[in-house]
Structures are given as structure tokens and as C-alpha cells.
Amino acid sequence: MLPSHIPRPPRRRHRAAALLALTVACAAGVARVALGSDHQDTPEVELSPRMDINDVYAFPGASADRIVLVLTTSSPIAPGADASFDPNLLYQIKVDNSGDAVEDLVLQFTFDGMGASQRVHLRGPVAPAQTGTSNTLVATAPQLTGAVNQVLGSATGVQLFAGLRDDPFFIDLEQFFRIVPDRRPATGPLSTIGPEPEASAFRDPGIDYVRGFNTLAMVVELPVAMLTGGGSGRLGLWGTTSR
């Protein structure tokens, strides 16, 4: 069963949305924290929200030998709004287990249909034929296939959930736009947050403005051994979307 710390179920309250992404990466044998900013903070992703990677997470699984990987996209999705993954996109989680910052394995998510009838297909984890590619589908048949918003697979093997979840990222977005007002989008849902008055620090306690907005999440739980293989035991993780 997928653990309770996967992204929360979709909320119905109206709040604002997150801006920053946090990705934990371990490469070259050294644990490093990489900060990204990709919650609709550029005109390009505002025009193509389904291509917008919000966050990549890794959590301990239901037991010590399992791990949960999460790739989220498309936030902010308004409470109560229906949303589908883009069937024309290839969503990927890439895994480096040798410390060279090059993927050794990929997990690929594709979708067909829209709305309640949409289905997800998971391929991998499997070694790609070529590294560094963003739009090459591996030849392997899907590991799992099924309806979105359902838990698929086996509790002792690979499990998959793809669907709407409450965006788990935390940020006092209103205060962020007061500190860095030029990051506030000119259009779209984040443009409604006013930058005034200017500020130089976050509030204490902070206000979670992303709470209540939804994201599209791809959540996989699987044995750690399927990712580490004969590598170093440390994992570097990142996500890509492409047409």
C-alpha cells in the first residue's frame, strides 16, 4: 500500500499557489540540495502548464527496503477543477545510481484519453537505449497500465498512482512576491497576488499559500534494489517532460 506521506488528496479551498521547487539529488557520492523555480513562473510554462515540472520528491516506502518517487506538474490547479495529464507528453523520472550525473535508469509515464477515462502507462525502471534524451520512449512494454486516480500494482512489487493531489510544497507566496516583485507573473492565476508592500524577509510564522491548490502527481513505490542495482547505493533523481 502506498504510504501516508504521498501528496495529499485534492483540496477544495481557494488559496494561492507555490513558486519554488525543491529537489534532493545525490551525485558523485555527495548529498546535494538543488533549488529550482518552476511553479508557473515564466511565460512559457504559463502557456503550457502540463509541461511545467513542479517538484521531484523521494520518500522512504512502507518498509525499509522500499522507496517512493513523486513527480508533480501543472500546479496551481484550482480547487474543484478537473484536470488531465497531457496524452501528447512523455513524463520521466531519471535515476543516476553511479554518481556521474547521467541517468542509469528511467521511469516513463504516458497517458491516453482524457478526463475520467484517462489511462496511465508506466515503463521502467529500465536502462535507456540512449542517455540524455527527453523524448525517446523505451522499447520495454508498460510495467503497469490502468485508470488514473487508482492505486495500481502490487504492494510487494511496483505500485503506481497518477492523478490530482493537493500540492505538498510550502511557501508564503504573497510575501515572496513582496521580496522579489519582478518574479510575479503578469498573467495567469499567480498574477492576482499583489507585490505591495515591499518586504525583505519572510513572515514568522509563514503562511502556506499553496495549501488548497492541486497538482497532477505521478507516485511510484517500489523496492530500492530496483533503483540501486549494482551502483553506489546513492541516487540522483530528476524529472523531464517532453513532446
Side-chain angles (χ1 to χ4, degrees), residues 92-96 103 105-107 132-134 236-240:
Q92 297 188 85
I93 296 177
K94 298 194 173 189
V95 182
D96 166 31
E103 69 269 28
L105 301 168
V106 295
L107 293 92
T133 62
S134 58
L237 305 168
W238 63 99
T240 67

Side-chain angles (χ1 to χ4, degrees), residues 4-15:
S4 60
H5 48 236
I6 68 172
R8 300 167 292 217
R11 299 292 186 103
R12 301 295 175 182
R13 292 175 294 167
H14 290 270
R15 304 288 289 276

Side-chain angles (χ1 to χ4, degrees), residues 21-229:
L22 177 63
T23 302
V24 177
C26 297
V30 179
R32 298 181 292 184
V33 177
L35 294 178
S37 177
D38 212 326
H39 271 57
Q40 288 203 19
D41 66 330
T42 69
E44 182 177 2
V45 296
E46 284 200 62
L47 294 173
S48 304
R50 296 298 177 265
M51 295 194 74
D52 184 23
I53 294 176
N54 304 147
D55 299 284
V56 179
Y57 298 100
F59 300 112
S63 58
D65 61 346
R66 294 178 66 79
I67 188 172
V68 178
L69 306 180
V70 183
L71 174 64
T72 63
T73 181
S74 306
S75 179
I77 299 172
D82 292 326
S84 298
F85 296 90
D86 189 334
N88 297 312
L89 291 182
L90 171 61
Y91 301 84
Q92 297 188 85
I93 296 177
K94 298 194 173 189
V95 182
D96 166 31
N97 61 22
S98 59
D100 60 0
V102 176
E103 69 269 28
D104 300 291
L105 301 168
V106 295
L107 293 92
Q108 297 186 331
F109 308 84
T110 55
F111 297 85
D112 56 55
M114 296 292 288
S117 63
Q118 187 165 67
R119 293 174 64 81
V120 58
H121 310 278
L122 168 65
R123 290 173 172 83
V126 63
Q130 293 178 305
T131 60
T133 62
S134 58
N135 59 359
T136 302
L137 193 66
V138 297
T140 307
Q143 168 92 346
L144 289 173
T145 295
V148 298
N149 295 310
Q150 302 288 333
V151 177
L152 308 172
S154 164
T156 58
V158 178
Q159 281 191 298
L160 167 66
F161 173 91
L164 279 172
R165 280 294 185 261
D166 182 18
D167 192 334
F169 195 78
F170 185 105
I171 188 171
D172 187 343
L173 191 60
E174 182 178 50
Q175 194 72 351
F176 177 83
F177 286 147
R178 290 171 177 165
I179 298 169
V180 192
D182 64 336
R183 296 302 297 274
R184 181 171 62 94
T187 61
L190 302 187
S191 66
T192 60
I193 300 176
E196 301 296 339
E198 291 187 4
S200 59
F202 283 103
R203 293 177 286 195
D204 185 12
I207 298 173
D208 184 8
Y209 270 87
V210 87
R211 183 179 175 88
F213 268 97
N214 295 324
T215 185
L216 285 169
M218 290 149 279
V219 185
V220 180
E221 182 183 282
L222 70 168
V224 177
M226 293 184 70
L227 300 183
T228 55

